[in-house]
Amino acid sequence: GQNIDQPTEMTATEGAIVQINCTYQTSGFNGLFWYQQHAGEAPTFLSYNVLDGLEEKGRFSSFLSRSKGYSYLLLKELQMKDSASYLCAVGNDYKLSFGAGTTVTVRA
Amino acid sequence: GAGVSQSPSNKVTEKGKDVELRCDPISGHTALYWYRQSLGQGLEFLIYFQGNSAPDKSGLPSDRFSAERTGGSVSTLTIQRTQQEDSAVYLCASSRPGTSGSSSYNEQFFGPGTRLTVL
């Protein structure tokens, strides 16, 4: 089975840093994905990790530890437009299994 | 090029009616996926197409749900005798040919979804 956990909500101040954790227990694994979804819109791809370590892409970074079944998404220099839901997903061959998503609210 | 498109964007129907949801994937993407997103829930996998065949239908919640894909392109998801618990956003995604293995991935591109409300 698939079990993917992430916090439901997080709030942070504009300009700050927020870290969204994701833990997973899945029957297969070939990568950990993060997607961003603004309210009423399609999820959009943010990052992909298949090896342990940190992947940095501008203000966003994603970390993976396969032995711990753990990932995090780090959002730096938060902007109001970063208010969205962030979805953690585990890839198993062609299939993605998603967590319930973390709603991040950025306040001025 | 154009992204994944879905129609209608919103559908309100009465309990017991049938509905058809349409997905137009990105041109050249042979893999197509349907997901369901209920309020406060994660995306729930429904079905996967590779070309016109569906090797994985394991996520379809009941035999009221069916999907087909023609010409390796457009897909329709049909829900018969709709129930109130079917109310959700139905998302379609497409990707280049699916591959397995730990060193490759194919990003899934999502459409905007169809919001289905069953009264």
Side-chain angles (χ1 to χ4, degrees):
Chain A
Q2 317 287 54
N3 191 22
I4 301 165
D5 290 317
Q6 51 182 130
T8 304
E9 294 180 328
M10 301 184 76
T11 302
T13 306
E14 196 174 15
I17 297 173
V18 70
Q19 178 175 313
I20 307 169
N21 296 323
C22 173
T23 57
Y24 63 90
Q25 290 176 304
T26 58
S27 55
F29 181 89
N30 69 330
L32 192 292
F33 297 76
W34 285 95
Y35 278 79
Q36 180 190 58
Q37 187 179 25
H38 285 99
E41 297 183 10
T44 55
F45 171 82
L46 285 180
S47 69
Y48 168 75
N49 295 66
V50 66
L51 299 176
D52 289 353
L54 188 68
E55 294 280 343
E56 298 189 77
K57 193 185 290 187
R59 294 188 299 113
F60 293 1
S61 304
S62 56
F63 172 83
L64 175 67
S65 169
R66 288 171 297 172
S67 62
K68 295 182 180 177
Y70 168 70
S71 173
Y72 68 73
L73 179 69
L74 194 70
L75 287 63
K76 294 180 277 191
E77 300 167 22
L78 279 173
Q79 302 175 8
M80 299 300 287
K81 67 178 181 180
D82 297 330
S83 292
S85 183
Y86 291 85
L87 313 178
C88 173
V90 174
N92 183 4
D93 198 4
Y94 56 83
K95 186 184 288 190
L96 290 179
S97 297
F98 285 85
T102 300
T103 300
V104 171
T105 303
V106 181
R107 295 187 171 160
Chain B
V4 178
S5 60
Q6 294 185 245
S7 60
S9 55
N10 278 284
K11 176 72 177 177
V12 180
T13 190
E14 293 180 347
K15 179 181 171 181
K17 301 277 190 180
D18 297 352
V19 295
E20 248 187 30
L21 313 179
R22 177 187 169 109
C23 171
D24 282 89
I26 293 172
S27 177
H29 282 191
T30 60
L32 186 146
Y33 315 78
W34 284 98
Y35 294 87
R36 179 168 70 174
Q37 188 173 33
S38 303
L39 193 63
Q41 305 291 318
L43 273 72
E44 175 190 2
F45 168 82
L46 297 178
I47 188 169
Y48 159 66
F49 285 93
Q50 183 57 249
N52 291 336
S53 65
D56 189 346
K57 304 179 183 180
S58 63
L60 294 178
S62 75
D63 59 8
R64 295 187 295 105
F65 287 71
S66 63
E68 65 174 15
R69 190 178 185 196
T70 55
S73 181
V74 171
S75 176
T76 54
L77 177 69
T78 301
I79 308 173
Q80 296 178 307
R81 305 181 301 281
T82 52
Q83 304 293 312
Q84 288 181 332
E85 62 261 29
D86 300 334
S87 295
V89 176
Y90 290 82
L91 290 160
C92 173
S94 71
S95 70
R96 289 190 297 273
T99 59
S100 58
S102 62
S103 62
S104 64
Y105 76 97
N106 286 297
E107 177 187 343
Q108 292 186 21
F109 294 82
F110 284 83
T114 294
R115 181 173 298 278
L116 174 66
T117 303
V118 182
L119 301 176

